[in-house]
Amino acid sequence: MTLSIQNIEKILHAKRFGDSNGTIDTISIDSRSLQNNQKTLFFALVGPNNDAHQYISDLIEKGVQNFVVTHIPEKLSNKATFLVVENTLEALQRYAAYHRSLFKFPVFGLTGSNGKTIVKEWLNFLMSPDFNIIRSPKSYNSQVGVPLSVISINDRHNLGIFEAGISKMNEMEKLEVIIRPTIGIITNIGSAHDEGFEDLEKKIKEKLKLFKNSKLIIYQKNKLVDSLIESKIKSFSWSYTDETADVFISKKDIQDKTVLQIRNDKDNLEIQIPFQDEASVENAITCLMVLLSFKYSKSTIQNRMQWLYPVEMRLKIKNGINNTTLIDDSYSSDFQSLKIALDFLESQKQYKNKTVILSDIFQSGLSNEELYSKVAQLITSNKINRVIGIGETISEFKHKFKNCITFKNTSDFFLNLNYLNFINETILIKGARHFQFEEIVAALEEKTHETVLEINLNSISHNLSFYKSKLKPITKMMVMVKAFGYGSGGFEIAKLLQHHKVDYLGVAFADEGISLKNTGITLPIMVLNPETTSFSAIIQYKLEPEIYSLKGLNAFLKIAEKRKLKHFPIHIKLDTGMHRLGFEEENLDELIAVLKDNKFVTVKSILSHMATSDDLEHQEFAHSQLNLFEILSSKLMNELQIKPIRHILNTSGISNFPQAQYDMVRLGIGLYGVSNDVEEQKYLDNVGTLKSIISQIRSIQAGESVGYGRRFVADRPTKIATIPIGYADGISRHWGNSIGFVTINNQKAAIVGCICMDMLMVDVSEINCKEGDSVIIFGESPSVSYIAAQLQTIPYEILTSISQRVKRVFYRE
C-alpha cells in the first residue's frame, strides 16, 4: 500500500522535519537490507544493544530519504525527511495497527508456548484452496515481527493467520491492537518462557489478552483456561478425556499414522493423519477444530488432513557440490518469506555469485503481473546474478528477470541439471511444497554421512545480544572464532557476526584468519598466537598480529621495514599473571624503547588475559591482575603517547568484573551458549545440536555382550541400537560404558560398551524407536556442560573435539 508522508505523519502523531511530498510503499527496520530504496520508510529502532539512528547516514547515501526517529542525528537535518516520535517501536506498532484497521476479513490470532508456527503453516495448507491467505512469515511473532507481518496485508487477501509470542507480562495488549483477531487459537501451553511469569495462571491470563475482542476461541479443554475466558467470548474446545468438551477425541496408532475418532454433538467423524508423536497430533487436532468451526464437509476434512506434512521452519545453510553454498528454503514460496530469504542470502553468502532457484509464488494477494514485477525488483535490488525459475507461471514472466532460465516443472529442471554448471556460487533454493525442491537440495548437496552438527544462528544472535546488554554503550566487542568457531564453523559464524557489526574477530593462528578473509570477511581480525613464519602472510592478508615478546616484535619490525609499511596495526599482549604469553613488567622499558618513534607499526590495542575470571574464589588474584594491567598499560600509553584500545575481559569476565570493561571485551564460549555461571546459563540459548540416526537395531539375550572387550554384558534380554558416530568424530571414549547417554524420541538411551572409532551402541529396550530415527548426541539434553562435568573437563574440549568430517548445518528459525 502506498501512503503519502503527510498521511503517515498524522498516523504516527509525529513531528515532521523536511519534505512532505514523498510517498512510501516499503517499511524497513534493517539498515543492511539491499531492498531499501527511495520509497522506503525506515524506522530507527532502539534496543538494549543497538541504536539504528547510527546507520541513518549510510542509508541516506544508499538513497533512503524518509525516517522515523526519536531524534535527528547531528549534521543530517537537511539531508532527508524525518518524522520524530517519542518511541520508534511504538510508532511502528501504531502504523501496523492503522494498516490492520483498513481490512475487515476474518483473522486468526495464534498464541501458546509451542506449535504456533506449525499450526499456522498447516492452516494455510488446509484452507488455501478456499481463501487468499496472509500469514506471518516464518515465526514473526514478536513485538517487531507482528507489525511487520500485518503491514503486508493487501486488498486481495480475505483471511489472515498471525502468530503472537510473548515472554513477559504486559506484551500481549500491544499485539492485540495490531492483529485484532476475530478468532483465537491457543496451541499447547508448555514451559517455554516461564521465567517471564510468576505462575501459569498469570501466563494464561496474559495470552488471553490477545482475544479480548475475538468472537471465538479454539483450544484444548482445560479448567484453568475455562475459568479465565471472558463469558462474552464463545469457546470451542476439544479433549481426549473430558466429555463436556465441544469435541471429544479418541485416537489409535496404525503403522506410522494416527486415526482420530471425533465426536461433535451428535455427529461422528474419523480421519487419518500421517503422524504419531504427541505434539504433531495435538497441532493437527487444533487445525481440525478450525475446519469444523468453518463448517467444512466431512469428505474435505478427511481428504486434506491426511496430507499434512512435516513443517520445516528453518532456513538451512549447507555445503554444496563444486564449491557452492546452499540456502535451503525448499518448502516455502510466498512473497514475504522471499524477502526474508534474500536478506538471509546476503548476510550469509560465501561466494560473490548468487543464484536463486525459485518456483511459482502463491497467495501473494497480487495479480501475476504485479507480483512478478515486484519479485524482479527484489531480485535486482539483491544483485542476484542468475535466476532459475520452475513453474508454468514464472515461465510466463521470464522476460522480467535478467539472466533467467525457466522450466515448466522440476522434472524438466533435472533433465537439464548437467548443463546448469553450478560452481563457486551461493544458491538460494526456494519453492512451494508440491514442486518437491527438497530433491534439488539433495542433488546439489555435498554428500557426507548422516551425523550432523546443527548450528542455530538465532541462538548465536540471542547470546551475542545477551552479552552486549551487559556492556556500556561505548564498549567495543571482539568475538572469538578460533578453533573453527569453537567447533561450530568458522566462516558462517563470522559472516553472522559481521552482519551484527561486531568490532573485531579473534583467531588463534594466521591460517584461520586467511581463510576468513578469502571468504569475504572484512572485519578486522586479530591473530592471537602468530608464529614468526606467518608474519608475511599476516601482512599480505591485512590481519592484525598479537605481539607478546621482544623476539616476535623485532622479527615483525624487520619484515615491516623491508616492506616499507607505515603504521601497520599490532596488538601488545601483557602478562599480568596468566604466565602463558605476554610482556612482563621487567621488560616493559625495552618494549617502549623499541616502539618509541617507530613508524612501521601502530599499537592498535593493549591486552591481557585473566586466569580466574570464572572462579570468584580467586577474586583477590583477579583484582591483582586488573590492577597490574592498569599500571602496565597506562605506562605504555603515557610513554608512547598513544590511546589504543584496552581489553582484558573474556566471557566470564564480562559478567563478573563489569568495572573492567575498558574499551573492549572478548566474547568466546558464551557466544556458543555456555556459561560457567548456573544462573547466567538460564539466559543463554543452546547453539549446537549434534545429531545422528539409528543405523540398526538388534536384540540380544542375557549373557551376550556388546562391543570391543565385552565391556557390556546383558543381564536380561536387551534391545541395542547402533549409532554411526564414534571417537573419530570427537566423542570421548570415556563417555561410553554406561557413563553417558544419547536422547532418542525424548528419552535417555544409555551408551553400552566401548565407543568405537565410527559408531557407538545404546540400550533402547524401553524406547519405542526404529531404524532411521533421529538421535541427539548433545544439545539441550545431554548438554555440553553436562557432558563436560561428567568427564571432568570443560565444555571447550567437548565442542572443539567434534571433527570436521561431521557436517555442519546452519539454520535460522
Side-chain angles (χ1 to χ4, degrees):
M1 183 176 65
T2 300
L3 281 176
S4 69
I5 289 295
Q6 287 181 322
N7 283 338
I8 295 172
E9 179 185 351
K10 294 175 184 176
I11 293 166
L12 302 185
H13 309 304
K15 188 172 182 181
R16 177 178 50 80
F17 295 85
D19 188 11
S20 65
N21 297 323
T23 58
I24 295 299
D25 62 14
T26 304
I27 300 298
S28 176
I29 62 166
D30 187 351
S31 63
R32 298 158 296 198
S33 176
L34 296 180
Q35 297 157 30
N36 294 322
N37 56 50
Q38 287 184 329
K39 295 278 189 177
T40 296
L41 178 63
F42 183 82
F43 284 77
L45 300 186
V46 180
N49 314 308
N50 199 21
D51 184 348
H53 290 78
Q54 64 184 304
Y55 308 126
I56 290 176
S57 178
D58 292 341
L59 284 164
I60 291 173
E61 288 185 13
K62 293 175 183 177
V64 180
Q65 281 294 301
N66 300 286
F67 300 89
V68 179
V69 297
T70 58
H71 63 277
I72 301 173
E74 190 176 352
K75 299 180 181 179
L76 296 181
S77 58
N78 297 321
K79 295 188 175 182
T81 297
F82 295 95
L83 300 177
V84 180
V85 297
E86 288 187 10
N87 183 302
T88 49
L89 174 58
E90 290 178 1
L92 175 66
Q93 294 171 336
R94 189 178 299 121
Y95 181 92
Y98 166 80
H99 187 80
R100 167 68 181 92
S101 70
L102 303 177
F103 302 94
K104 304 301 180 185
F105 52 74
V107 170
F108 292 107
L110 282 77
T111 190
S113 304
N114 306 293
K116 296 186 293 294
T117 301
I118 293 172
V119 169
K120 176 196 69 184
E121 293 300 318
W122 281 353
L123 285 177
N124 178 67
F125 166 75
L126 292 166
M127 303 181 77
S128 58
D130 315 299
F131 295 93
N132 198 346
I133 299 173
I134 174 70
R135 69 192 192 281
S136 310
K138 298 297 178 182
S139 53
Y140 269 39
N141 58 29
S142 66
Q143 298 291 310
V144 175
V146 168
L148 293 178
S149 301
V150 167
I151 287 167
S152 300
I153 301 173
N154 65 46
D155 291 332
R156 291 183 176 86
H157 292 127
N158 56 15
L159 184 69
I161 311 174
F162 298 106
E163 297 180 48
I166 55 170
S167 57
K168 58 186 179 181
M169 296 296 292
N170 303 316
E171 289 186 328
M172 192 61 90
E173 286 180 324
K174 296 176 182 177
L175 300 185
E176 191 279 334
V177 174
I178 302 168
I179 299 174
R180 298 189 188 182
T182 56
I183 301 165
I185 298 174
I186 303 174
T187 62
N188 178 274
I189 297 179
S191 59
H193 304 297
D194 270 357
E195 65 274 9
F197 304 92
E198 290 181 23
D199 53 43
L200 181 61
E201 181 174 343
K202 285 187 170 58
K203 182 177 183 178
I204 294 174
K205 276 185 176 179
E206 179 68 17
K207 289 183 179 295
L208 287 173
K209 289 179 182 178
L210 180 62
F211 310 130
K212 67 179 184 180
N213 293 307
S214 299
K215 299 175 181 177
L216 178 69
I217 297 179
I218 295 170
Y219 66 104
Q220 183 175 8
K221 193 167 181 62
N222 175 298
K223 289 182 179 178
L224 181 56
V225 175
D226 289 343
S227 67
L228 296 174
I229 294 177
E230 293 185 29
S231 58
K232 66 177 183 178
I233 303 173
K234 185 180 178 183
S235 63
F236 189 40
S237 64
W238 68 273
S239 178
Y240 294 129
T241 57
D242 188 341
E243 297 200 25
T244 65
D246 298 293
V247 177
F248 186 76
I249 296 175
S250 58
K251 60 178 181 174
K252 61 181 179 181
D253 295 341
I254 297 179
Q255 295 177 336
D256 57 349
K257 299 178 175 61
T258 300
V259 174
L260 299 176
Q261 295 173 323
I262 296 108
R263 191 169 75 235
N264 179 21
D265 295 331
K266 297 179 181 179
D267 204 4
N268 291 310
L269 173 65
E270 183 173 280
I271 65 170
Q272 191 177 92
I273 55 174
F275 305 101
Q276 288 187 341
D277 65 285
E278 185 176 340
S280 295
V281 172
E282 281 192 16
N283 291 331
I285 291 172
T286 299
C287 295
L288 164 70
M289 294 290 288
V290 172
L291 298 184
L292 291 173
S293 71
F294 270 61
K295 308 298 183 186
Y296 273 79
S297 69
K298 284 185 182 181
S299 59
T300 300
I301 293 173
Q302 289 168 328
N303 181 52
R304 293 185 188 177
M305 292 288 291
Q306 68 178 324
W307 296 110
L308 291 179
Y309 53 89
V311 173
E312 181 54 73
M313 295 182 290
R314 310 178 299 185
L315 283 159
K316 289 183 178 179
I317 307 171
K318 300 176 177 179
N319 291 329
I321 60 173
N322 304 327
N323 291 325
T324 59
T325 298
L326 310 182
I327 296 180
D328 179 4
D329 197 11
S330 55
Y331 294 97
S332 169
S333 183
D334 60 86
F335 185 68
Q336 290 306 313
S337 66
L338 175 61
K339 294 168 70 175
I340 295 168
L342 287 170
D343 278 342
F344 187 65
L345 167 63
E346 183 60 25
S347 73
Q348 284 294 322
K349 70 171 190 246
Q350 184 168 350
Y351 302 98
K352 182 179 179 180
N353 287 335
K354 297 179 287 185
T355 292
V356 174
I357 302 176
L358 183 66
S359 78
D360 287 347
I361 294 175
F362 302 112
Q363 295 180 301
S364 67
L366 305 171
S367 68
N368 284 336
E369 177 69 32
E370 186 178 359
L371 169 63
Y372 287 98
S373 294
K374 285 182 172 289
V375 172
Q377 289 172 8
L378 279 183
I379 295 294
T380 300
S381 64
N382 280 271
K383 301 176 182 177
I384 302 302
N385 303 90
R386 174 169 63 155
V387 177
I388 299 173
I390 300 179
E392 294 187 0
T393 306
I394 196 170
S395 295
E396 291 178 19
F397 293 91
K398 173 183 175 180
H399 61 280
K400 292 187 176 290
F401 302 92
K402 293 181 180 178
N403 194 19
C404 177
I405 184 171
T406 59
F407 302 97
K408 295 293 185 181
N409 51 52
T410 307
S411 296
D412 284 348
F413 167 87
F414 276 111
L415 288 174
N416 293 274
L417 180 59
N418 292 335
Y419 305 104
L420 292 173
N421 195 28
F422 293 107
I423 185 169
N424 299 329
E425 57 192 311
T426 303
I427 306 166
L428 170 63
I429 303 169
K430 184 164 184 60
R433 181 173 177 79
H434 78 264
F435 283 92
Q436 297 180 311
F437 272 21
E438 69 274 13
E439 295 180 6
I440 297 178
V441 174
L444 298 181
E445 188 176 2
E446 183 180 70
K447 301 303 180 283
T448 52
H449 66 81
E450 294 159 313
T451 297
V452 298
L453 179 60
E454 293 187 344
I455 310 298
N456 187 332
L457 295 176
N458 294 76
S459 295
I460 291 276
S461 298
H462 167 84
N463 296 338
L464 178 68
S465 294
F466 173 77
Y467 284 103
K468 274 188 173 181
S469 70
K470 293 175 173 286
L471 304 181
K472 300 169 187 173
I474 60 173
T475 302
K476 299 178 185 296
M477 180 177 280
M478 174 188 288
V479 181
M480 311 308 295
V481 291
K482 60 183 180 177
F484 194 50
Y486 289 70
S488 297
F491 165 76
E492 293 84 358
I493 302 294
K495 189 69 176 176
L496 180 64
L497 295 171
Q498 182 165 287
H499 187 67
H500 284 297
K501 301 189 177 181
V502 302
D503 300 284
Y504 260 92
L505 299 179
V507 298
F509 299 104
D511 57 352
E512 295 175 313
I514 291 169
S515 176
L516 294 178
K517 288 289 187 180
N518 282 336
T519 50
I521 298 301
T522 58
L523 287 174
I525 299 175
M526 184 191 298
V527 182
L528 280 79
N529 303 327
E531 299 159 317
T532 54
T533 55
S534 68
F535 283 162
S536 293
I538 284 174
I539 292 168
Q540 179 183 347
Y541 286 92
K542 298 181 180 178
L543 305 173
E544 300 181 16
E546 175 189 286
I547 302 296
Y548 51 80
S549 70
L550 286 166
K551 178 184 176 183
L553 176 59
N554 287 323
F556 191 83
L557 288 174
K558 185 177 180 180
I559 297 175
E561 183 177 5
K562 185 177 180 181
R563 296 197 177 197
K564 298 179 181 179
L565 299 181
K566 291 184 179 180
H567 305 295
F568 194 92
I570 64 171
H571 303 263
I572 298 297
K573 175 73 168 288
L574 302 177
D575 181 4
T576 56
M578 184 77 162
H579 296 330
R580 190 171 62 177
L581 294 174
F583 292 94
E584 295 182 289
E585 186 172 10
E586 62 193 41
N587 46 35
L588 212 61
D589 289 336
E590 191 174 355
L591 170 64
I592 292 168
V594 173
L595 288 174
K596 208 158 197 175
D597 300 322
N598 191 297
K599 304 299 182 185
F600 300 115
V601 296
T602 293
V603 178
K604 191 70 174 289
S605 83
I606 302 172
L607 67 147
S608 189
H609 196 77
M610 298 181 71
T612 59
S613 63
D614 60 339
D615 190 347
L616 295 180
E617 289 186 9
H618 295 283
Q619 279 203 63
E620 185 177 345
F621 182 79
H623 285 294
S624 73
Q625 281 198 266
L626 295 175
N627 292 335
L628 185 56
F629 180 66
E630 174 63 30
I631 292 168
L632 299 185
S633 61
S634 294
K635 182 176 180 179
L636 272 176
M637 292 166 64
N638 292 333
E639 293 286 342
L640 297 174
Q641 295 186 335
I642 57 174
K643 290 185 177 180
I645 298 167
R646 289 193 287 177
H647 49 112
I648 189 172
L649 298 185
N650 58 4
T651 296
S652 297
I654 292 171
S655 299
N656 293 333
F657 299 95
Q659 76 281 4
Q661 288 180 15
Y662 284 101
D663 305 295
M664 186 162 71
V665 298
R666 302 188 300 270
L667 178 61
I669 194 73
L671 182 76
Y672 305 95
V674 177
S675 171
N676 292 303
D677 183 272
V678 175
E679 286 304 309
E680 185 171 274
Q681 184 66 54
K682 296 176 182 177
Y683 295 97
L684 298 179
D685 284 354
N686 178 67
V687 169
T689 301
L690 182 58
K691 288 183 174 181
S692 192
I693 64 163
I694 297 175
S695 294
Q696 189 175 42
I697 296 176
R698 70 181 69 248
S699 295
I700 64 172
Q701 300 304 311
E704 292 187 295
S705 61
V706 174
Y708 289 116
R710 302 198 74 204
R711 295 294 181 88
F712 173 81
V713 178
D715 58 6
R716 56 182 173 80
T718 305
K719 189 167 64 170
I720 299 293
T722 300
I723 318 299
I725 184 172
Y727 60 76
D729 300 291
I731 307 302
S732 172
R733 291 183 76 249
H734 299 293
W735 189 231
N737 293 318
S738 299
I739 293 172
F741 68 91
V742 301
T743 300
I744 300 173
N745 294 335
N746 297 316
Q747 292 180 266
K748 292 181 179 180
I751 299 173
V752 296
C754 291
I755 290 176
C756 308
M757 180 181 287
D758 306 301
M759 62 193 78
L760 57 84
M761 290 69 72
V762 298
D763 183 349
V764 292
S765 302
E766 306 302 322
I767 300 175
N768 181 19
C769 59
K770 61 184 182 299
E771 293 174 359
D773 278 0
S774 178
V775 178
I776 294 176
I777 313 301
F778 66 64
E780 296 287 352
S781 176
S783 68
V784 168
S785 297
Y786 175 84
I787 295 173
Q790 296 302 304
L791 297 181
Q792 297 184 340
T793 184
I794 57 176
Y796 297 76
E797 183 177 351
I798 306 299
L799 287 172
T800 57
S801 294
I802 303 305
S803 88
Q804 292 198 34
R805 81 173 185 176
V806 173
K807 180 173 69 172
R808 272 69 174 172
V809 174
F810 298 83
Y811 68 91
R812 190 176 75 176
E813 310 245 33

